[in-house]
């Protein structure tokens, strides 16, 4: 009576009451940040903050020049307007590119809550949308259904669930019989979870949790917790901003003190109002130095570099949602990767067959080959979906692996299945551990019993083994078969045994008894099949690239220790010298204190039976050790760790929760995409360093010119509009040129840079020497030109000012080529064929300078130059490039000589 009452399901009134009491079966979507707020967030950048201060100070200077004694008019605000647009462009480009990526991601990550679900209500089975399921509903599950909510099973008939989205396990058997419960299972054997899929059998369960209260919902909610960890580049730029601020303010303060002291010492009798006026002018010079010291083009260049990399990474199947993730991948020191679907294909396939009667395991047209083909096709409930480019398995993945094996040999299972009439069938169950089917075979024109399942169970029902055209007693062959099974089990593979019996007339009706094979059925054993979820073809090489690049790769999976260890061995992270100390289970990890875990994780290579909270805790602890962590995964169970990491990488066919928590989605599901992302990130960081080398050299030169000019008492030979062209337009072009340089695969030979306190600074020591040496050299050259002009002509003419301006720009132009060659010590002319964009932008800079000088007139305070002047300036300034080439050649020569000496010493010692 109690069971009948239960199966009546809820009444409509109870449905409404439970919906009000327990909520609806939908996940609360993450709160969408308004577009205006996303736009403003782009200005929360340390360099842009300095630029904002510089903009405010330039407004003060412009106001004094506009309405002060000089009364220069509104033209004094040109620099302020230029800086304002530099800020606006830097924020705007970042906003536009991330908004575009978000739009593409939203299309990719659409979730459907309207899927039809079968439930029992008021004694009748009906279909309702998944969103309308409530606590207390009786839900009917069939093969292929997605479980709509959490609950406990009332009935389970050969029920197998794919829990890979939650635990990494592709096949979990479910039952309501306590004696068959799996004590090691992540979730109880009589519990089904939202987001998992029925791959075989059918069942019925009562809903206990819906929506956010489900295990799936809790993981989803955890994945939305705000991650406020700064990226390595943000930390570096904050440090750079502090250095620039301190240097600018220190230089301005020193200049103010020196000029004020000079004024008071040399003009002690000056009237008070004149002293105030002079002090105001000195203050304006100090403020000008602060403005000049700020690299106005830097925010735009960083944004442009990130945006271009973001766009180019998309072409290599990496959809970047958050711009800084491009560069952060290059700083990664640890990758925590899921196994199923990331390292493996998430599709079970036959690894090896051992049919003892097949020569070279080749299917022929003999009787036993026909029995194998028909047995695999007919004794199965799985299907293959050929509608997509990649064949998709429907039903039990282990059974589907056999169908895929047939397909790989040019044999289609469906015609064989349709022709073989099924007379009786026992589907696979956890209790039996085998499947049996009686068919009327058109191949042999006889009735045949086919059996497949756990080899030891199937073998126990066999009297003979078919070997090399003969039939040998099972007892004689059993030791060798058991030895083969042990070898496969040591490789964490699943195994199936296949057997058959040709039934005599009238014998087919008594092969099954009470849902099992009749004792003494006397089958003939055909052989065993080893099945595994194979490692993706590109993974071992990609993992080795990461290891060579100094990146530690840790497998974090919900799978068993044996399976995880075998996968680690195949991809090259698990060595023969490794012990159990290099592996830990999720429950064991939970028992460790934070201090114990911190001591253990550096040597950890595998975490198995891991739950979402274990993965998240591992990431947090690694970050405490100043590691830059990237997490890869495709399941809901990976989402909290994906969100906690500095970079979360989800797979294109992963769950919506995983993709929502990630920063980058790898559209082609390839681990090699992660290696490419690391290479892009490191190359991008190097390109940003190159631009800093270029930009800060200009700033050092400009600061020194303003400083010397103020101390000597002369006005700057460069006007505001000319400096705007150099600092904003030309720098933006240079940023685009340097950002366009192709990624260099050799960066994967370097070790990751150090992050955290005491880590590597973005402006390295060689860069600092180069910036100040070249900047000072530029100033000396430019001062010599000024002295020459003033010595011969007195006041500078427009022609001389035009020559000086062009000379200044061309020095920076050739320095851009030196910046291109920085770090790898190769010639600036190396790889020019793959740097077409760089050359095009370089030509654009020259064209822009020519147009400004030729047609700029009063606005730029220039006059046209003769072609002879252009040739002289271009040739004389190119000395900057040739000096750089000579120094790089000398370094290459010395390095080659040193390597030669080391080789000679090594050969002599041998």
């Amino acid at each position: 009576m109690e069971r009948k009452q239960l199966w009546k399901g809820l009444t409509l009134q109870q449905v409404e009451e439970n919906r009000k009491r327990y909520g609806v079966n939908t996940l609360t979507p993450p709160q969408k940040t308004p577009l205006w707020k996303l736009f403003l967030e782009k200005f929360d950048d340390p360099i842009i903050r300095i630029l904002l201060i510089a903009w405010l100070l330039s407004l003060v200077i412009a106001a004094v020049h506009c309405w002060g004694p000089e009364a220069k008019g509104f033209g004094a605000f040109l620099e302020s307007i230029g800086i304002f647009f530099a800020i606006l462009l830097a924020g705007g480009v970042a906003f536009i590119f991330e908004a575009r990526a978000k739009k593409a991601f939203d299309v990719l990550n659409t979730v459907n809550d309207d899927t039809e679900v079968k439930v029992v209500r008021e004694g009748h089975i009906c279909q309702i949308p998944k969103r309308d399921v409530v606590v207390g509903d009786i839900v009917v599950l069939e093969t292929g259904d997605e479980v709509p909510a959490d609950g406990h099973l009332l009935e389970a008939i050969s029920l197998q669930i794919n829990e890979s989205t939650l635990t990494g396990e592709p096949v979990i058997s479910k039952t309501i019989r306590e004696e068959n419960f799996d004590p090691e299972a992540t979730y109880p054997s009589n519990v089904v979870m939202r987001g998992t899929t029925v791959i075989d059998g059918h069942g019925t369960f009562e809903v206990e949790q819906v929506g956010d209260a489900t295990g799936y919902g809790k993981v989803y909610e955890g994945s939305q917790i705000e991650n406020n960890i700064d990226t390595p580049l943000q930390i570096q730029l904050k440090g750079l901003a502090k250095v620039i601020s301190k240097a600018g303010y220190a230089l301005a303060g020193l200049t103010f003190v020196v000029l004020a002291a000079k004024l008071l010492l040399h003009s002690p009798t000056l009237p008070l109002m004149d002293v105030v006026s002079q002090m105001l002018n000195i203050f304006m010079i100090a403020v000008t130095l602060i403005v000049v010291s700020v690299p106005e083009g830097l925010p735009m260049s960083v944004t442009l570099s990130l945006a271009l990399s973001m766009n180019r990474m998309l072409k290599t199947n990496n959809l970047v949602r958050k711009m800084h993730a491009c560069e952060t991948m290059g700083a990664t020191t640890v990758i925590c990767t899921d196994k199923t679907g990331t390292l493996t294909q998430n599709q079970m396939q036959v690894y090896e067959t051992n049919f003892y009667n097949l020569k070279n395991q080749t299917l022929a047209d003999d009787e036993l080959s026909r029995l194998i083909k028909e047995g695999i096709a007919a004794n199965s409930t799985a299907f293959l979906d050929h509608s997509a480019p990649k064949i998709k398995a429907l039903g039990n993945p282990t059974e589907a692996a056999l169908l895929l094996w047939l397909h790989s040999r040019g044999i289609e299972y469906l015609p064989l299945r349709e022709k073989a009439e099924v007379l009786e069938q026992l589907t696979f169950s956890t209790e039996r551990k085998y499947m049996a089917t009686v068919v009327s075979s058109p191949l042999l024109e006889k009735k045949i019993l086919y059996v497949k399942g756990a080899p030891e169970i199937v073998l126990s029902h066999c009297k003979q083994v078919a070997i090399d055209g003969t039939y040998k007693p099972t007892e004689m062959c059993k030791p060798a078969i058991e030895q083969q099974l042990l070898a496969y089990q040591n490789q964490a593979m699943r195994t199936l045994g296949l057997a058959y019996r040709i039934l005599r007339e009238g014998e087919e009706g008594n092969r099954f008894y009470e849902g099992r094979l009749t004792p003494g059925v006397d089958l003939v054993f055909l052989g065993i099949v080893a099945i595994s979820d194979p490692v993706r073809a590109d993974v071992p090489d990609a993992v080795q690239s990461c290891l060579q690049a100094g990146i530690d790769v840790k497998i974090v999976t919900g799978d068993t220790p044996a399976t995880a260890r075998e996968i680690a061995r195949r991809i090259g992270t698990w060595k023969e010298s490794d012990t159990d100390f290099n592996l830990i289970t999720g429950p064991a990890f939970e028992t460790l204190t934070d201090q114990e875990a911190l001591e253990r994780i550096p040597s950890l290579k595998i975490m198995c039976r891991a739950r979402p909270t274990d993965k998240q805790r591992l990431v947090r602890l690694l970050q405490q050790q100043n590691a830059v962590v990237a997490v890869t995964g495709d399941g809901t169970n990976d989402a909290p760790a994906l969100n906690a990491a500095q970079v979360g990488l989800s797979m294109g066919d992963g769950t919506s929760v995983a993709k929502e928590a990630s920063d980058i989605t790898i559209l082609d599901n390839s681990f090699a995409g992660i290696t490419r992302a690391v290479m892009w990130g490191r190359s991008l960081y190097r390109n940003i360093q190159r631009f800093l080398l270029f930009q800060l050299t200009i700033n050092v030169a400009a600061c020194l010119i303003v400083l010397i000019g103020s101390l000597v008492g002369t006005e700057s030979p460069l006007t505001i509009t000319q400096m705007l062209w150099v600092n904003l337009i030309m720098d933006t072009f240079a940023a685009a040129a340097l950002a366009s340089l192709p990624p260099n695969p050799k960066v994967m030979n370097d070790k990751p840079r150090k992050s955290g306190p005491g880590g590597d600074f973005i402006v390295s020591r060689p860069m600092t020497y180069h910036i100040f040496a070249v900047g000072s050299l530029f100033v000396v050259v430019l001062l010599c030109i000024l002295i020459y002009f003033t010595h011969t002509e007195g006041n500078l003419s427009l022609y001389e000012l035009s020559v000086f301006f062009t000379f200044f720009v061309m020095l920076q132009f050739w320095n851009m080529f030196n910046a291109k060659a920085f770090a790898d010590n190769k010639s600036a002319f190396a790889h020019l064929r793959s740097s077409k964009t760089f050359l095009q932008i370089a030509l654009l800079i020259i064209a822009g300078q020519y147009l400004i000088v030729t047609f700029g007139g009063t606005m730029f305070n220039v006059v046209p130059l003769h072609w002879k002047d252009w040739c002289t300036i271009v040739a004389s300034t190119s000395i900057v490039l040739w000096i750089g080439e000579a120094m790089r050649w000398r370094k290459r020569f010395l390095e080659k000589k040193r390597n030669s000496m080391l080789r000679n010493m090594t050969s002599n010692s041998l």
Side-chain angles (χ1 to χ4, degrees):
M1 289 295 293
E2 186 177 334
R3 183 176 175 81
K4 289 181 181 177
Q5 181 68 27
L6 180 65
W7 283 92
K8 284 185 178 179
L10 300 176
T11 64
L12 293 179
Q13 182 180 349
Q14 288 173 322
V15 168
E16 291 303 320
E17 288 174 356
N18 285 3
R19 185 173 287 125
K20 290 177 182 176
R21 184 176 178 184
Y22 300 106
V24 295
N25 191 34
T26 56
L27 301 178
T28 304
Q31 189 175 356
K32 298 290 183 183
T33 307
L35 287 176
W36 64 267
K37 195 171 183 182
L38 287 173
F39 181 70
L40 291 179
E41 282 177 359
K42 300 301 140 200
F43 300 97
D44 187 23
D45 181 279
I47 301 295
I48 288 184
R49 287 177 189 170
I50 295 183
L51 206 51
L52 284 167
I53 295 170
W55 175 60
L56 292 172
L57 292 174
S58 71
L59 283 175
V60 174
I61 297 171
V64 172
H65 286 316
C66 180
W67 293 297
E70 298 178 25
K72 290 184 177 180
F74 288 100
F77 286 95
L78 278 174
E79 185 172 17
S80 302
I81 294 169
I83 295 174
F84 174 77
F85 276 108
I87 296 168
L88 199 64
L89 276 172
V93 169
F95 171 73
I96 289 167
F97 272 83
E98 285 197 5
R100 280 174 56 189
K102 184 177 179 298
K103 188 176 179 181
F105 174 80
D106 288 342
V107 172
L108 179 72
N109 210 28
T110 305
V111 180
N112 185 9
D113 283 325
D114 294 321
T115 307
E116 294 291 317
V117 176
K118 297 183 187 72
V119 298
V120 179
R121 287 184 178 175
E122 296 188 326
H124 301 287
I125 292 183
C126 57
Q127 286 190 320
I128 61 170
K130 183 168 73 174
R131 66 172 69 248
D132 291 341
V133 172
V134 299
V135 171
D137 262 330
I138 306 300
V139 179
V140 179
L141 295 174
E142 295 177 351
T143 301
D145 288 348
E146 182 180 298
V147 180
D150 293 359
H152 69 273
L153 288 164
L154 305 174
E155 182 183 45
I157 309 299
S158 304
L159 186 63
Q160 291 186 311
I161 300 282
N162 180 351
E163 286 189 352
S164 60
T165 58
L166 282 176
T167 65
E169 287 276 15
V171 183
I172 297 291
S173 296
K174 295 292 183 180
T175 180
I176 58 174
R177 295 184 180 180
E178 289 188 23
E179 64 271 20
N180 293 318
F181 282 9
D182 181 0
E184 292 187 359
T186 308
Y187 298 106
S189 296
N190 65 335
V191 168
V192 289
M193 305 294 290
R194 177 188 171 118
T196 58
T197 309
V198 180
I199 54 174
D200 198 13
H202 57 90
T204 308
F205 77 97
E206 182 178 355
V207 176
E208 295 178 328
Q209 305 286 350
V210 295
D212 293 336
T214 62
Y216 190 96
K218 288 174 182 175
V219 175
Y220 184 56
E221 186 179 1
S223 70
Q224 296 173 38
I225 297 171
E226 192 69 27
N227 181 359
N228 294 318
I229 295 176
D230 284 336
T231 67
L233 184 60
Q234 287 171 331
I235 294 170
Q236 296 270 9
L237 291 178
K238 281 182 180 178
L240 179 62
K242 287 180 182 177
V243 170
I244 291 171
S245 298
K246 289 177 180 177
Y249 293 139
L251 188 62
L254 180 64
T255 303
F256 182 84
V257 170
V258 171
L259 291 178
K262 180 183 174 184
L263 172 68
L264 296 175
L265 290 172
H266 288 82
S267 307
T269 59
L270 204 65
L272 181 61
M273 290 307 294
D274 290 343
V275 171
V276 171
S277 176
Q278 290 293 324
M279 283 292 186
L280 183 60
N281 286 332
I282 293 171
F283 176 75
M284 296 302 293
I285 291 169
V287 170
T288 303
L289 276 171
I290 295 173
V291 174
V292 170
S293 69
V294 177
E296 291 95 336
L298 181 57
M300 182 62 189
S301 71
V302 172
T303 301
L304 197 59
S305 298
L306 291 170
L308 287 173
S309 295
M310 188 176 177
N311 208 34
R312 290 161 76 182
M313 284 175 72
L314 181 58
K315 293 177 183 177
T316 59
N317 292 311
N318 289 340
L319 174 59
V320 181
R321 294 179 60 209
K322 297 175 183 176
M323 198 174 279
H324 275 273
C326 296
E327 187 280 329
T328 306
M329 277 306 300
T332 299
T333 57
V334 179
I335 294 176
C336 295
T337 177
D338 181 37
K339 177 189 76 71
T340 307
T342 306
L343 299 176
T344 64
Q345 297 178 22
N346 198 16
Q347 185 176 69
M348 304 299 285
Q349 293 183 23
V350 172
Y351 172 75
E352 192 172 73
T353 60
N354 273 292
F355 294 118
Y356 307 120
N357 198 57
L358 291 186
K359 192 173 183 180
N360 299 322
Q361 298 302 300
T362 304
L363 291 169
D365 198 32
D366 59 275
E367 182 177 292
L368 281 174
S369 292
R370 292 199 295 270
L371 285 169
I372 291 169
K373 289 186 281 189
E374 187 178 69
I376 290 173
N379 188 29
S380 173
T381 57
F383 292 86
L384 297 181
D385 180 4
H386 293 268
S387 60
K390 181 184 177 183
I391 298 174
K392 184 179 179 182
L394 303 177
N396 187 303
T398 308
E399 289 190 345
L402 292 173
L403 302 183
L404 285 166
W405 180 76
L406 281 181
H407 178 77
S408 69
R409 279 150 181 74
I411 301 165
E412 296 303 323
Y413 75 96
L414 207 52
L416 290 169
R417 183 181 294 179
E418 289 173 347
K419 289 175 183 176
E421 181 188 352
V422 176
L423 303 176
E424 286 185 89
Q425 190 172 72
L426 292 176
T427 58
F428 183 88
S429 72
T430 310
E431 294 79 16
R432 282 192 300 267
K433 298 187 184 303
Y434 61 79
M435 178 180 181
T437 304
V438 177
V439 303
S440 177
S441 171
L443 295 178
L444 302 179
E445 296 182 348
K446 295 176 182 178
K447 294 179 175 62
I448 303 173
L449 167 64
Y450 292 112
V451 179
K452 74 166 184 288
E456 63 276 12
I457 303 296
V458 174
L459 196 62
S460 68
H461 288 283
C462 294
K463 188 177 182 180
Q464 295 176 310
V465 179
I467 299 180
D468 299 329
T470 63
Y471 296 90
K472 295 184 179 180
T474 300
E475 291 303 317
M476 182 188 297
C477 306
K478 196 173 182 179
I481 293 172
E482 288 177 342
Q483 193 67 31
Q484 285 181 338
L485 288 173
L486 183 62
Y488 288 133
Q489 287 163 3
N490 287 339
Q491 296 179 65
M493 292 187 184
R494 298 182 182 188
T495 51
L496 283 178
L498 277 73
Y500 78 99
R501 177 181 170 86
I502 298 176
L503 303 176
R504 294 187 296 272
E505 195 66 37
E507 199 178 23
E508 65 273 8
N510 59 358
R511 293 302 92 199
F512 304 149
Y513 176 73
E514 292 185 351
R516 292 181 179 272
L517 287 170
T518 304
V521 70
D522 295 342
L523 302 172
V524 177
F525 196 71
L526 288 168
I528 55 178
V529 178
I531 295 172
S532 67
D533 182 6
V535 170
R536 293 180 184 272
D538 60 348
V539 166
D541 288 342
V543 169
Q544 288 308 307
S545 294
C546 289
L547 295 175
Q548 288 171 13
I551 301 171
D552 190 16
V553 179
K554 300 180 187 293
I555 297 178
V556 187
T557 177
D559 223 322
T560 62
T563 302
R565 190 185 287 111
E566 176 59 23
I567 295 297
R569 186 189 65 79
R570 288 190 205 170
I571 66 173
T573 59
W574 189 268
K575 307 298 181 185
E576 290 184 8
S577 57
D578 290 325
T579 65
D580 287 343
F581 188 75
N582 304 106
L583 180 149
I584 196 169
T585 63
F589 185 66
E590 187 180 30
T591 62
L592 298 179
T593 65
D594 280 357
Q595 187 56 43
E596 290 171 335
L598 285 168
E599 293 172 3
R600 182 82 182 268
I601 57 176
S603 59
L604 205 61
K605 293 189 175 183
I606 298 171
M607 181 186 286
C608 49
R609 291 296 186 197
R611 295 155 297 186
T613 51
D614 300 322
K615 297 183 180 186
Q616 189 178 37
R617 184 185 178 214
L618 175 63
V619 172
R620 299 286 189 204
L621 290 171
L622 285 167
Q623 288 168 342
Q624 285 183 32
Q625 296 180 330
N626 293 323
V628 179
V629 186
V631 171
T632 73
D634 65 342
T636 301
N637 56 329
D638 302 313
L642 286 168
N643 182 62
Q646 279 97 335
V647 184
L649 301 114
S650 61
M651 299 294 135
D653 60 1
T655 66
S656 58
V657 177
K659 286 184 278 191
E660 187 71 49
S662 65
D663 304 298
I664 300 174
T665 299
I666 301 171
L667 300 176
D668 61 357
N669 306 308
S670 168
F671 194 91
I674 299 168
T675 310
R676 287 196 302 268
V678 172
M679 182 183 69
W680 274 102
R682 291 188 176 186
S683 298
L684 171 60
Y685 183 77
R686 187 169 285 186
N687 287 346
I688 291 173
Q689 284 187 309
R690 287 171 173 143
F691 178 77
L692 281 171
L693 188 79
F694 170 81
Q695 168 82 76
L696 294 178
T697 302
I698 295 177
N699 281 84
V700 167
C703 280
L704 289 175
I705 288 171
V706 172
L707 179 62
I708 294 169
S710 62
L711 293 175
V712 174
T714 60
E715 288 189 7
S716 172
L718 297 172
T719 66
I720 290 174
T721 50
Q722 288 173 355
M723 286 304 295
L724 280 175
W725 158 250
V726 173
N727 279 348
L728 296 180
I729 312 302
M730 183 180 168
D731 285 359
T732 303
F733 285 154
L738 294 170
S740 71
L741 294 175
N744 185 358
K746 289 188 177 180
V747 296
M748 296 300 286
N749 298 329
D750 301 334
K751 298 300 179 187
R753 66 179 189 270
K754 296 177 183 177
S755 299
D760 297 333
F761 188 46
I762 193 167
V763 180
S764 62
R765 186 169 293 179
M767 286 175 67
T768 305
Y769 294 152
H770 184 281
I771 287 165
F772 281 99
V774 176
S776 302
L777 179 64
F778 284 179
V779 171
V780 171
V781 172
L782 292 168
L783 287 177
C784 289
I785 294 171
L786 282 178
I787 292 168
Y788 171 77
F789 283 155
T790 53
H791 179 72
T792 55
E793 297 289 335
N795 293 327
L796 294 178
S797 65
L798 281 176
Y799 167 77
E800 290 165 339
L801 287 171
S802 302
V803 170
F804 182 87
F805 171 48
T806 305
F807 204 94
F808 180 72
V809 168
M810 291 310 299
L811 283 173
Q812 311 304 336
F813 174 81
W814 293 117
N815 191 44
M816 183 175 74
F817 282 82
N818 284 334
K820 173 184 178 290
F822 183 77
D824 53 17
N825 286 329
K826 288 187 176 180
S827 169
F829 301 105
H831 308 299
L832 283 180
R833 286 186 179 181
S834 59
S835 308
K836 291 180 181 177
T837 306
F838 178 88
L839 291 175
Q840 289 167 356
I841 295 173
L843 292 173
L844 193 61
I845 291 172
I846 291 181
Q849 181 64 22
Y850 175 80
L851 292 172
I852 285 173
V853 173
T854 306
F855 304 106
T858 308
M859 183 178 179
F860 283 90
N861 201 32
V862 290
V863 293
L865 297 177
H866 194 270
W867 67 268
K868 290 182 180 178
D869 296 323
W870 279 102
C871 292
T872 304
I873 293 170
V874 169
S876 58
T877 53
S878 68
I879 192 69
V880 173
L881 173 61
W882 304 122
I883 291 172
E885 284 292 287
M887 293 179 69
R888 285 187 289 274
W889 178 84
R890 180 175 175 274
K891 284 183 179 179
R892 291 196 301 272
F893 175 76
L894 291 174
E895 189 175 346
K896 189 176 180 181
K897 189 176 180 181
R898 185 166 57 250
N899 292 337
S900 177
M901 289 175 63
L902 286 172
R903 281 195 299 270
N904 291 335
M905 288 172 64
T906 305
S907 61
N908 290 336
S909 64
L910 291 173

